Amino acid sequence: MAFVQSYPQYRFLFVNDGSTDHTAALLERICGASDRMHWMSLTQNSGKAAAVRKGLLEAVARYASPYVAFLDADLAIPKDELHRLC
């Protein structure tokens, strides 16, 4: 949340890749209080590549922005790299 609050120019779309645990409920709770954080849930697990593709297509359709990027949940690429890239 601190990262989101630090960069008000960004919007976030989280993708739940058909998880059967409580991921959807957690995303709903986290994103529900923000107009800059949204989430989508795929009906079934489709794999990472499909989840990334569907999430990016949704972000392009949803947000009026010339740039779209993604970060993995494990933050293999540090989140601050997103800011540096932009």
Side-chain angles (χ1 to χ4, degrees):
M1 292 299 283
F3 178 75
V4 172
Q5 293 168 346
S6 297
Y7 299 103
Q9 69 272 32
Y10 297 148
R11 298 193 185 290
F12 297 87
L13 176 67
F14 298 92
V15 179
N16 174 20
D17 186 21
S19 176
T20 57
D21 61 11
H22 300 288
T23 300
L26 176 64
L27 289 173
E28 185 173 16
R29 190 175 81 233
I30 291 171
C31 296
S34 174
D35 63 342
R36 296 185 305 111
M37 296 190 324
H38 304 96
W39 67 282
M40 60 183 283
S41 199
L42 306 181
T43 56
Q44 64 182 18
N45 182 278
S46 304
K48 178 181 176 177
V52 169
R53 181 181 179 279
K54 290 175 183 178
L56 288 173
L57 290 172
E58 176 66 21
V60 167
R62 183 184 291 231
Y63 305 121
S65 174
Y67 305 105
V68 179
F70 83 95
L71 297 172
D72 264 329
D74 66 0
L75 294 177
I77 297 173
K79 63 187 181 307
D80 293 329
E81 288 298 308
L82 177 64
H83 180 67
R84 191 175 69 83
L85 177 65
C86 291

